[in-house]
């Protein structure tokens, strides 16, 4: 509570300082008004969103397509206009004391063109200009994919799979890297949960109220430090409003699903109040046990509740604000496999997060913006046996602060950032897990510069991190018959990257990047020694484990034109000291759980991925994605004893939990009012197996959907009806812990309704 009060107090001080120093008299003002229309029919487009970029102001078109920005200072501004089913329009507008009414005409488009991305970038830019492979899910594209978890929503995008121990625990795996190598953010801030440490820990985020989800693939250690070797998934809500609102608007969404009798409802509202921009949000989700083609996967129910409130002061100088978010999730982990409780385990999760953020745009000086945020999170969950007793628990308290200053032209550089980040975390396990209570802190400084204004641009950067892990209890851990005492550890590493992008006039771009990235071991990889109830494993850390160092190469080609959008990438990552839980083939001292030893091995991950959308004829789009990754362990491998007198086994040269070749091909008909289509999702047989893994067969499954958008008054209503696994096929996902008990979900009919007001 003291940290929460400190965060709020600092935010209020920042707001008062900025307000006292930022009042600038305008040399004349005007009312900026006009109308938004369909470029092909000339009809009004109500509910279109308009934004005055430099002034951080936003409004929406009324029922007749008209809009108004009141009291706009004279000057030149960029206005962006956006509406689902249409291309985003950006126009430069000169504001004078006397102005004619403006007309913005939007062109219908079945493709998601001109999407912007902020994740992993020096500044917000078009996704086609990002120097990394990137996927943006928003608007209709997000509606077509929206599911109950972040992992299941983004799974199937290029290079992305998901690992699960039941539907509630789905977490993204990017290019074969999961867990603590894929960073999940909310509005650019770490979520503060423990989903990265174990497969039974759910992500403490519900995607229902997301404005968009950005997936950036490839090493992102330069801007985000440890935990970003595979990539970054950023759920963007603008929980702290970044624009001054002209009037109230928001979204209400409801979704139902047949395969688990699931239902969810939630929404957010944004409105001006006493000179502040305020955002409120609430959501509720419930689901029963998952039905599969051969039976019900028991104890896979979930119940979540989320709520948030944020407020900010917005001006020409930028914005400053605070927010608070609560997330509660009660869900089940199924039983029935080796080491599992017969009836499964229930998990009770709670997360509180308070944030403050200031984005200041100085009127003069070297830096164009200075952004600072402070976040405090309190997370805990209990793993409960069916008897009602709490067998395992985790509590995590985390405080993080980051300051990033952006500049434009400086010498040969056309733009760049310098930044600082600090984090303190306290993790207290309880119950039978026997992980050592640990405190850790980290500090980092970084700089990224961009060069070039023509067709060839480049980006270069460096970052240095230092981290300290301190076990709060003395104990010994037995590692391969050696007794190792727990001890504090220091870690420090340099990250660096160099990337280029070459743009041709026909919308074709080629990109390449090389990088050195790193990851520190987590507390469980260093200090665990005991059974983990809900994970059904016996985990053994090693206080001697070293940090991971990755050397990456990315090559990609990107094409974006009015009728085509495509991106293809190939990559290779050499991982020195890759840390993973190796299945020893033994059973732990407690129960019949597999014993997993966290160990360093050199490894190589290489593969390719791609996606394309092609407008074959007007409104009809062919779409396809494909992903492949191969993970191998370098060097010689040992022979380990078999189980119960079985022959000895030579350790595999392949990394465990690598997704097989997979992809999807589909066709859709898309207009601003109607959309419908279908496709086939496929995965190859996985025969490249880690220790004690089993093969999974190939599969193909059919999906279909239909969507309808209509305007009533100035409110945009959308309805999406989707059927997954139409033929009720038996699907065994290789990254699922439950695949040997039952297959994945059977036929599922889901209905999503949204209204924007």
């Amino acid at each position: 509570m003291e940290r929460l009060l400190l965060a709020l107090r600092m935010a209020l001080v920042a707001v008062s300082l900025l307000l006292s120093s930022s009042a600038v008299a305008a040399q004349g003002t005007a009312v900026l008004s006009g109308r938004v229309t369909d470029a092909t029919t000339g009809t009004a487009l109500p509910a279109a969103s308009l934004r005055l970029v430099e002034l951080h102001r936003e409004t929406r078109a009324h029922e007749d397509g008209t809009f108004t920005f009141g009291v706009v200072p004279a000057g030149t501004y960029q206005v962006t206009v956006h509406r689902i089913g249409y291309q985003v329009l950006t126009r430069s507008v000169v504001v004078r004391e006397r102005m004619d009414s403006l007309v913005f005409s939007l062109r219908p488009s079945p493709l998601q063109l001109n999407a912007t991305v902020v994740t992993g970038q020096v500044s917000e830019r078009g996704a086609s200009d990002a120097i990394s492979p990137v996927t943006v899910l928003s608007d209709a594209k997000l509606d077509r994919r929206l599911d109950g978890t972040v992992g299941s929503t983004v799974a199937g995008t290029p290079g992305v799979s998901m690992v699960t121990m039941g539907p509630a625990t789905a977490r993204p795996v990017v290019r074969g890297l999961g867990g603590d190598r894929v960073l999940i953010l909310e509005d650019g801030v770490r979520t503060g949960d423990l989903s990265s440490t174990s497969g039974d820990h759910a992500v403490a985020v519900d995607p229902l109220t997301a404005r968009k989800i950005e997936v950036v693939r490839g090493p992102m250690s330069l801007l985000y430090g440890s935990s970003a070797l595979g990539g970054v998934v950023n759920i963007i809500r603008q929980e702290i409003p970044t624009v001054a609102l002209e009037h109230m608007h928001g979204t209400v969404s409801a979704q139902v699903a047949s395969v688990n009798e699931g239902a969810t409802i939630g929404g957010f509202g944004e409105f001006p109040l006493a000179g502040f921009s305020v955002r409120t949000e609430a959501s509720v989700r419930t689901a029963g046990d998952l039905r599969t083609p051969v039976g019900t996967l028991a104890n896979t129910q979930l119940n979540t509740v989320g709520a948030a409130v944020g407020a900010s002061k917005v001006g020409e100088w930028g914005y400053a604000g605070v927010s608070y978010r609560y997330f509660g999730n009660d869900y089940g982990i199924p039983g029935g496999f080796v080491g599992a409780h017969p009836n499964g385990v229930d998990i009770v999760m709670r997360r509180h997060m308070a944030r403050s953020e200031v984005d200041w745009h100085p009127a003069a000086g070297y830096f164009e913006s200075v952004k600072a945020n402070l976040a405090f999170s309190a997370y805990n969950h209990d793993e409960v046996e069916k008897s009602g007793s709490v067998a395992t628990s985790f509590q995590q308290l985390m405080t993080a602060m980051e300051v990033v200053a952006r500049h434009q032209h400086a010498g040969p550089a056309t733009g760049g950032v310098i930044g600082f980040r600090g984090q303190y975390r306290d993790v207290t396990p309880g119950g039978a897990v026997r992980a050592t209570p640990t405190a850790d802190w980290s500090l980092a400084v970084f700089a990224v510069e961009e060069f070039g204004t023509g067709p060839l641009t480049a980006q270069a950067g460096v970052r240095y991190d230092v981290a300290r892990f301190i076990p709060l209890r003395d104990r010994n851990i037995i590692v391969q018959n050696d007794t190792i005492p727990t001890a504090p550890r220091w870690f420090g590493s340099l990250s660096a990257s160099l990337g280029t992008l070459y743009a041709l006039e026909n919308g074709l771009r080629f990109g390449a990047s090389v990088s050195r990235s790193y990851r520190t071991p987590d507390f469980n990889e260093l200090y665990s020694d005991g059974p983990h109830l809900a994970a059904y494993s016996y985990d053994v850390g090693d206080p001697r484990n070293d940090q991971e160092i990755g050397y990456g190469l990315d090559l990609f080609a990107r094409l974006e034109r009015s009728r085509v959008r495509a991106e293809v990438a190939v990559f290779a990552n050499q991982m020195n000291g890759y840390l993973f839980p190796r299945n020893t083939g033994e059973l732990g001292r407690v129960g019949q759980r597999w014993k997993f030893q966290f160990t360093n091995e050199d490894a190589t991950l290489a593969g390719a991925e791609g996606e394309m959308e092609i407008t074959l004829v007007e409104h009809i789009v062919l779409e396809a994605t494909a992903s492949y990754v191969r993970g191998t362990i370098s060097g010689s491998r040992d022979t380990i004893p078999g189980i119960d007198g079985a022959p000895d086994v030579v350790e595999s040269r392949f990394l465990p939990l690598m997704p097989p070749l997979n992809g999807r091909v589909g066709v859709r008909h898309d207009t601003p009012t109607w959309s419908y289509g279908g496709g086939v999702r496929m995965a190859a047989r996985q025969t490249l197996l880690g220790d004690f893994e089993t093969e999974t067969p190939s599969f193909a499954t059919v999906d279909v959907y239909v969507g309808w958008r209509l305007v009533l008054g100035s409110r945009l209503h959308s309805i999406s009806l989707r059927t997954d696994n139409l033929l009720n096929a038996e699907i065994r996902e290789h990254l699922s812990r439950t695949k040997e008990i039952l297959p994945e979900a059977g036929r599922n009919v889901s209905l999503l309704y949204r209204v924007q007001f």
Side-chain angles (χ1 to χ4, degrees):
M1 182 58 69
E2 291 181 358
R3 293 176 180 172
L4 173 60
L5 292 175
L6 176 60
L8 295 175
R9 188 177 301 129
M10 291 180 65
L12 292 174
V13 169
V15 171
S16 63
L17 288 174
L18 285 170
L19 290 178
S20 65
S21 63
S22 61
V24 179
Q27 299 297 316
T29 60
V31 173
L32 183 62
S33 62
R35 190 165 178 259
V36 183
T37 65
D38 184 307
T40 57
T41 65
T43 57
L45 285 182
S49 175
L50 298 98
R51 183 174 181 180
L52 269 171
V53 176
E54 291 82 1
L55 298 184
H56 310 283
R57 292 172 62 179
E58 186 175 88
T59 190
R60 291 202 178 189
H62 303 300
E63 184 175 359
D64 58 357
T66 61
F67 67 90
T68 301
F69 286 103
V71 192
V72 179
T76 301
Y77 305 100
Q78 296 293 315
V79 179
T80 61
V81 189
H82 167 257
R83 163 77 188 270
I84 295 177
Y86 293 83
Q87 292 185 24
V88 176
L89 175 66
T90 300
R91 182 191 296 178
S92 180
V93 175
V94 178
V95 176
R96 309 180 188 87
E97 292 189 18
R98 294 185 179 182
M99 290 193 64
D100 296 329
S101 180
L102 301 173
V103 176
F104 294 101
S105 296
L106 305 187
R107 293 190 175 279
S109 175
L111 306 183
Q112 187 183 32
L113 301 175
N114 304 322
T116 60
V117 60
V118 297
T119 310
Q121 313 303 315
V122 169
S123 59
E124 183 175 2
R125 65 194 58 198
S128 60
D129 294 322
I131 310 183
S132 301
V134 61
T135 298
V136 179
L137 300 180
S138 63
D139 299 332
K141 192 172 184 178
L142 180 57
D143 286 352
R144 289 195 297 269
R145 304 189 62 93
L146 186 68
D147 207 11
T149 65
V150 173
S152 56
T153 298
V154 302
T157 57
V160 183
S161 303
M162 65 176 176
V163 61
T164 67
M165 283 188 67
T169 63
R171 196 178 197 277
V173 172
V174 181
R175 295 181 168 181
L177 296 173
D180 197 38
R181 299 175 186 89
V182 174
L183 186 59
I184 298 180
L185 306 173
E186 287 183 290
D187 287 333
V189 176
R190 296 178 184 234
T191 59
D193 61 28
L194 287 173
S195 64
S196 64
T197 62
S198 181
D200 62 299
H201 298 176
V203 177
V205 177
D206 193 307
L208 182 70
T209 56
R211 289 175 179 261
K212 65 177 178 176
I213 300 176
E214 298 178 352
V215 182
V216 182
R217 304 181 296 278
M220 288 287 112
S221 293
L222 194 64
L223 288 176
Y224 298 106
S226 185
S227 307
L229 270 80
V232 178
V233 178
N234 191 8
I235 299 94
I236 296 176
R237 294 191 179 92
Q238 292 183 0
E239 188 171 291
I240 296 176
T242 62
V243 295
L245 304 168
E246 302 289 315
H247 55 79
M248 181 176 180
H249 66 263
T251 300
V252 175
S253 305
Q255 188 174 30
V256 294
S258 65
V259 76
N260 56 5
E261 297 181 352
T264 182
I265 186 169
F268 65 89
E270 298 175 326
F271 50 92
L273 179 65
F276 288 83
S277 294
V278 179
R279 183 184 188 276
T280 60
E281 176 191 316
S283 64
V284 177
R285 184 182 297 274
T286 183
D289 289 338
L290 186 74
R291 291 197 290 268
T292 79
V294 297
T296 300
L297 187 58
N299 205 56
T300 51
Q301 76 288 340
L302 68 87
N303 294 281
T304 69
V305 176
V309 60
S312 64
K313 186 68 177 180
V314 184
E316 295 180 49
W317 47 267
Y319 68 89
V322 296
S323 70
Y324 165 77
R325 174 171 290 275
Y326 167 80
F327 182 81
N329 190 1
D330 300 345
Y331 61 94
I333 300 293
F337 49 92
V338 174
H341 283 238
N343 298 317
V345 174
D346 295 330
I347 292 185
V348 179
M349 171 202 292
R350 302 290 182 265
R351 181 186 67 135
H352 303 265
M353 174 171 278
R355 291 176 50 209
S356 61
E357 188 168 276
V358 176
D359 190 2
W360 178 42
H361 297 248
Y366 179 74
F367 294 108
E368 64 171 340
S369 72
V370 179
K371 186 174 183 178
N373 63 64
L374 176 66
F376 170 73
S377 63
Y379 170 91
N380 67 277
H381 85 236
D382 296 329
E383 301 175 3
V384 185
E385 296 180 349
K386 290 302 180 181
S387 64
S389 62
V390 177
T392 305
S393 65
F394 289 92
Q395 181 185 70
Q396 176 177 272
L397 302 177
M398 187 170 75
T399 302
M401 180 183 68
E402 184 175 70
V403 179
V404 177
R406 290 178 169 82
H407 68 83
Q408 288 187 330
H409 293 276
T414 56
V417 300
I418 61 171
F420 162 84
R421 187 178 189 277
Q423 176 181 297
Y424 176 81
R425 182 177 65 159
D426 188 296
V427 181
T428 306
V433 69
R434 294 183 64 197
T436 305
T438 306
D440 63 77
W441 57 263
S442 60
L443 298 172
V445 291
F446 55 91
V448 183
E449 298 294 328
E450 295 186 335
F451 306 90
T453 57
L456 180 64
T457 58
Q459 183 186 90
V462 294
R463 178 185 179 113
Y464 191 81
D465 290 76
V466 61
R468 174 76 164 169
F469 284 76
I470 306 170
L472 302 180
R473 183 183 302 164
D474 294 330
R475 58 183 303 193
N476 294 319
I477 297 176
I478 298 176
V479 181
Q480 298 176 344
N481 299 321
D482 293 333
T483 300
I484 311 299
T486 58
R489 294 290 306 277
W490 281 98
F491 298 98
S493 185
L494 178 74
S495 301
S497 73
L498 173 64
T500 61
L501 186 70
Y502 185 75
L504 301 177
E505 293 183 357
N506 59 2
L508 182 63
R509 289 170 169 81
F510 295 96
S513 65
V514 292
S515 62
R516 183 187 194 273
S517 54
Y518 90 104
R519 184 180 78 90
T520 61
D522 209 350
F523 70 94
N524 57 315
E525 296 168 328
L526 293 171
Y527 305 125
S528 291
D529 183 19
H532 187 164
L533 174 68
Y536 307 136
S537 61
Y538 191 101
D539 299 335
V540 182
D542 188 338
R544 302 168 300 183
N545 278 333
D546 205 352
Q547 61 194 13
E548 298 176 355
I549 300 296
Y551 298 92
L553 171 66
D554 260 275
L555 302 173
F556 64 89
R558 182 182 294 142
L559 178 64
E560 184 168 302
R561 304 180 69 178
S562 61
R563 300 176 66 89
V564 180
R565 191 187 64 82
E567 182 176 271
V568 178
V570 295
F571 62 90
N573 293 313
Q574 173 61 43
M575 309 289 290
N576 295 343
Y578 181 84
L579 259 170
F580 67 101
R582 183 177 65 83
N583 190 334
T584 64
E586 306 173 38
L587 297 178
R589 296 192 296 271
V590 179
Q592 297 298 309
R593 299 176 178 88
W594 290 117
K595 186 175 182 180
F596 290 88
Q597 174 69 62
F598 288 100
T599 185
N600 287 114
E601 297 272 9
D602 291 345
T604 302
L605 292 97
E609 67 214 10
E611 66 175 331
M612 71 169 185
E613 292 180 304
I614 301 175
T615 305
L616 301 176
V617 296
E618 188 176 11
H619 304 306
I620 297 180
V621 177
L622 172 67
E623 54 190 9
T625 64
S627 305
Y628 176 74
V629 62
R630 178 186 175 107
T632 56
I633 298 173
S634 308
S636 61
R637 306 292 285 150
D638 298 327
T639 299
I640 59 177
I643 304 173
D644 297 332
D648 290 350
V649 179
V650 177
E651 289 180 312
S652 172
R653 291 184 178 275
F654 298 107
L655 287 174
L657 296 176
M658 290 290 110
L661 171 67
N662 63 89
R664 180 184 180 276
V665 177
V667 177
R668 73 174 192 269
H669 180 275
D670 211 332
T671 72
T673 303
W674 284 95
S675 63
Y676 52 86
V680 180
R681 183 171 69 92
M682 300 161 284
R685 185 180 185 88
Q686 181 58 289
T687 59
L688 307 179
L689 307 175
D691 297 327
F692 302 100
E693 280 193 299
T694 56
E695 290 187 6
T696 46
S698 61
F699 67 80
T701 179
V702 178
D703 61 76
V704 295
Y705 74 93
V706 59
W708 182 37
R709 290 186 288 269
L710 70 156
V711 176
L712 297 176
S714 59
R715 296 174 178 85
L716 177 63
H717 301 256
S718 61
I719 300 172
S720 301
L721 179 65
R722 188 179 79 220
T723 302
D724 298 319
N725 197 4
L726 178 67
L727 303 181
N728 207 34
E730 289 189 30
I731 301 169
R732 308 278 175 169
E733 295 279 8
H734 189 69
L735 302 190
S736 169
R737 282 283 299 274
T738 62
K739 62 180 180 291
E740 296 179 12
I741 315 169
L742 289 175
E744 299 301 306
R747 182 184 300 110
N748 180 38
V749 180
S750 65
L751 178 67
L752 172 67
Y753 166 74
R754 290 193 196 270
V755 56
Q756 298 179 7
F757 58 89

